[in-house]
Amino acid sequence: MSELYGPVQLNDSIRRSRGLLPNAVGLLCELIAEVTGRAPERERVEHVGRFWLMQACDRVVAESDGISSSHADAVAPSSPSSLSARSRLLERFGERNAAVCVVEPYLKVPILTELSAAVRARRVMHWHSTPRVDLGVSAAKTSARQSVAGRSSSSDRLIEVLRTRVALGAPMDLVEHHHTLSEWAERHPMAGLRLLYTANAHQSSTPFRFVSFSQRRRGGKLLVHQHGGGYGIDEQHLGEDCDIAMSDVFYTWGWGRPDVGSRVRALPSALPPRRKGKRRRGYLLMSLPVTSHVYRLQPFLMPSHIELCVNETISFLAGMSNSAPITIRSSGSQSFPMARIPDTSVEVHTDDLSESGTEAAARSTLVIHNYLGTSWLETLAMNVPTICFFNPDIYAPREAARPYVDALARVGVIHHSGADAAKFVNQLNGNPDAWWNSSEVQEARQAFVARYANFSDDWLQAWSEEFERLLAE
C-alpha cells in the first residue's frame, strides 16, 4: 500500500483496525488475569481500555501497511497531576449534591465566563475536577507480560503483532492496577451520580473511565460532548467511534447519526470570544501538528499527510505577493519547519503563543488553515474570515458532509492546493472583509456552521434544558 494513504486506502485500514478491537479486548483481559492472578470483567475492560486499544489497533494496522511508527507506549502508571487554579476555583462553586457533574468540558471561554456559568447553573450542575488517585510507586510485571506476549493463539499475523503490543505496551493503569482502580471507583462519590458529563476526561483520564463505568453500572448516564474537529465530517473518526460506544448520550456540534438514533444529538458548546483589542494587521496561518510517528489512523495525522501539507503550505507562502505579514501558529509540540520556507516577498514569522488560538484568530484580518482539524470550525463559527487548503489525494469528507464542504469550496473558503489558495488570497487585495461579508459566502458559512460548528452564546441555557429533560425521564 502507498504511504500516501489516500481516502480509500485509509478507510480500508480503519475498517481492518476496528475489526481487531474484539481481539484486543480479549488480549487485555488475558494479560490482566496473568499479571494479577484475577480474571477481570470483560465489560469493564472494554470501557476503560477502549481508547488505548483502538489506537493500538490503528498502529498495528499502520505498521502492517509499511508505515513505520516511532511511537512508544507509556507503560508507567499515571500520577495524579496537581489541580489547576481554574479547576480549584470552579469546584468551589455550586451545590455538591447537584444531579449533574461537569468534568473537563470543552469551553474556550475566559475563567470569569465559566465561573459565572457554574454559579448560575449550580442548582442542576456542579463543576468538578477530574477524579484523582495516587497509586504509589510500582513496577510493571515484566515476566508475566512477556509470558503473554510469547504465547501463540492465532495464525493471523496481525493478531499476533497485536498480542505483543498489548502485552508489552498496555499502561499499568489498565493492567497491574486494574483491580485496585476498579475497587476505588466503586467507592468514589461520582459513581452514585445520575448524570456525569464530560468532553475530555473519558479520553484523557483512566481513573475517570473507571469511575464512569461504576456510575453507569449503578444506573447513571455518561454524557460525552464532541471536543474537536473531524467528528461528523471525516469518513471515519476514531474519537467519534470511541465516544459514541462509551457514552449513553453523545452530543455533537450540530450533526446527527441516523444509524445510531437519538443517542447522538446536537448540543451547542460555548462560542469563543470574538474580536477584542486591537485587530492584527496581518494574516494568521494555523498549521497542523507536525509529527513523524503514527499514533492513530486519521486524516492529517499520518506522517505522509503531514509532509504533503507542509509542502502545500510552502507553496502557499511562495505564491503570496504583496501580502500583509503572515504569522504561523503551530498545533502540537513540534513547530512548523520554518527553515524550509524559501525566500519570499512576504514577511513570515512564528507566533509567540502569548494568547490562545481563538484569541489570536479573533484579532486577525484573515485566518488560513493548512488542514481540517478543530481550529477551522472555530474560526468559521466566530465569523472570522477563513481560508482552508488541503490536497484531495489525502482527504475526502463523508457523504453527508460533502454538500456543505463543497459549498464552502465554491465560494472560496476551501481550496485544494496551497498555490490555488495563494492566488485567491492575492486577489482579495488585502481586504478579506469585502469577500467574507458577501451574501453567498455567509450563506455557505451559516449552513455549514449550523451542522458542524454549532457554538453559541446561549450554550448554558441549552445545557440546562437538556440535562433537566434527562433528569425528568
Side-chain angles (χ1 to χ4, degrees):
M1 179 179 292
S2 168
E3 279 204 10
L4 184 60
Y5 258 115
V8 174
Q9 296 98 325
L10 182 57
N11 289 332
D12 177 68
S13 294
I14 292 173
R15 282 190 289 270
R16 289 160 53 213
S17 173
R18 300 294 186 271
L20 287 175
L21 184 59
N23 300 96
V25 174
L27 289 170
L28 185 54
C29 288
E30 179 184 345
L31 179 64
I32 294 168
E34 179 71 22
V35 167
T36 67
R38 290 170 55 192
E41 297 177 74
R42 184 182 175 98
E43 187 179 1
R44 190 192 304 268
V45 172
E46 185 169 8
H47 181 84
V48 302
R50 176 181 289 274
F51 186 60
W52 184 86
L53 289 171
M54 290 180 76
Q55 295 188 93
C57 291
D58 274 9
R59 292 195 291 273
V60 166
V61 170
E63 289 169 2
S64 76
D65 289 339
I67 310 299
S68 61
S69 172
S70 60
H71 179 86
D73 294 308
V75 178
S78 60
S79 57
S81 57
S82 58
L83 287 178
S84 66
R86 182 170 184 143
S87 294
R88 286 196 300 269
L89 193 57
L90 285 164
E91 198 167 345
R92 292 179 58 186
F93 292 88
E95 300 178 13
R96 290 186 176 271
N97 61 350
V100 185
C101 185
V102 176
V103 181
E104 288 194 30
Y106 183 88
L107 297 173
K108 291 191 175 181
V109 295
I111 177 61
L112 291 179
T113 300
E114 192 170 359
L115 279 173
S116 174
V119 171
R120 285 186 288 146
R122 64 186 180 274
R123 184 181 62 83
V124 177
M125 292 174 254
H126 174 62
W127 266 243
H128 200 289
S129 58
T130 307
R132 303 161 71 242
V133 57
D134 190 350
L135 297 169
V137 178
S138 58
K141 295 189 176 181
T142 306
S143 60
R145 285 173 173 262
Q146 290 176 339
S147 174
V148 173
R151 296 172 188 166
S152 179
S153 60
S154 173
S155 59
D156 189 324
R157 182 180 176 278
L158 272 185
I159 294 177
E160 290 306 294
V161 173
L162 180 63
R163 168 181 287 276
T164 301
R165 181 173 286 277
V166 170
L168 302 183
M172 289 177 64
D173 288 355
L174 296 179
V175 184
E176 281 83 354
H177 299 306
H178 177 88
H179 295 298
T180 299
L181 283 168
S182 298
E183 293 160 6
W184 165 81
E186 291 292 334
R187 301 189 300 270
H188 198 280
M190 279 188 190
L193 290 167
R194 292 183 61 188
L195 300 178
L196 182 56
Y197 167 95
T198 189
N200 294 287
H202 64 296
Q203 291 188 8
S204 65
S205 169
T206 303
F208 179 89
R209 292 194 292 275
F210 274 92
V211 169
S212 64
F213 178 84
S214 297
Q215 181 250 1
R216 295 182 74 202
R217 167 162 286 183
R218 294 189 193 181
K221 290 184 177 181
L222 175 61
L223 316 176
V224 173
H225 210 155
Q226 178 179 347
H227 70 273
Y231 287 73
I233 304 174
D234 293 357
E235 185 64 39
Q236 296 183 78
H237 190 280
L238 185 146
E240 178 183 334
D241 294 343
C242 179
D243 294 359
I244 291 174
M246 290 183 66
S247 62
D248 295 285
V249 180
F250 179 68
Y251 296 117
T252 78
W253 291 347
W255 52 275
R257 282 276 300 270
D259 60 315
V260 177
S262 62
R263 205 162 62 78
V264 174
R265 62 189 74 161
L267 187 71
S269 191
L271 184 67
R274 271 79 76 206
R275 292 190 178 101
K276 289 184 179 180
K278 186 177 180 180
R279 192 174 181 184
R280 293 187 182 199
R281 180 174 61 87
Y283 300 159
L284 178 67
L285 195 158
M286 304 190 82
S287 177
L288 79 173
V290 177
T291 178
S292 59
H293 67 254
V294 177
Y295 64 94
R296 68 179 180 227
L297 296 171
Q298 184 173 321
F300 306 111
L301 292 182
M302 309 299 295
S304 57
H305 289 197
I306 292 167
E307 178 62 20
L308 189 56
C309 288
V310 168
N311 289 333
E312 292 290 353
T313 304
I314 292 171
S315 296
F316 171 80
L317 295 170
M320 293 296 293
S321 61
N322 301 318
S323 165
I326 297 175
T327 300
I328 298 181
R329 183 183 181 98
S330 299
S331 174
S333 58
Q334 297 186 43
S335 60
F336 187 87
M338 300 293 289
R340 292 175 57 182
I341 300 174
D343 291 337
T344 175
S345 60
V346 177
E347 178 185 342
V348 180
H349 53 86
T350 57
D351 194 5
D352 61 11
L353 306 180
S354 61
E355 56 189 349
S356 72
T358 53
E359 289 172 334
R363 296 197 305 104
S364 298
T365 305
L366 175 69
V367 181
I368 303 107
H369 306 267
N370 63 4
Y371 73 117
L372 303 185
T374 304
S375 58
W376 80 295
L377 301 179
E378 292 171 336
T379 57
L380 284 172
M382 294 162 63
N383 202 16
V384 175
T386 298
I387 294 285
C388 310
F389 59 84
F390 65 88
N391 190 315
D393 288 343
I394 63 173
Y395 183 77
R398 70 179 61 170
E399 190 66 32
R402 190 166 296 136
Y404 304 97
V405 173
D406 289 347
L408 291 176
R410 285 194 295 271
V411 298
V413 174
I414 289 177
H415 301 266
H416 291 152
S417 74
D420 286 348
K423 291 177 184 177
F424 184 84
V425 175
N426 287 335
Q427 292 171 3
L428 299 178
N429 297 317
N431 182 23
D433 284 348
W435 156 73
W436 185 253
N437 292 324
S438 66
S439 59
E440 58 269 24
V441 172
Q442 285 299 308
E443 182 179 341
R445 182 193 74 84
Q446 290 165 7
F448 180 87
V449 164
R451 289 162 179 80
Y452 300 105
N454 183 23
F455 300 94
S456 171
D457 288 325
D458 298 323
W459 62 275
L460 185 61
Q461 180 179 345
W463 286 22
S464 297
E465 291 173 355
E466 169 66 9
F467 298 159
E468 287 177 346
R469 187 189 64 77
L470 289 175
L471 291 171
E473 291 181 349

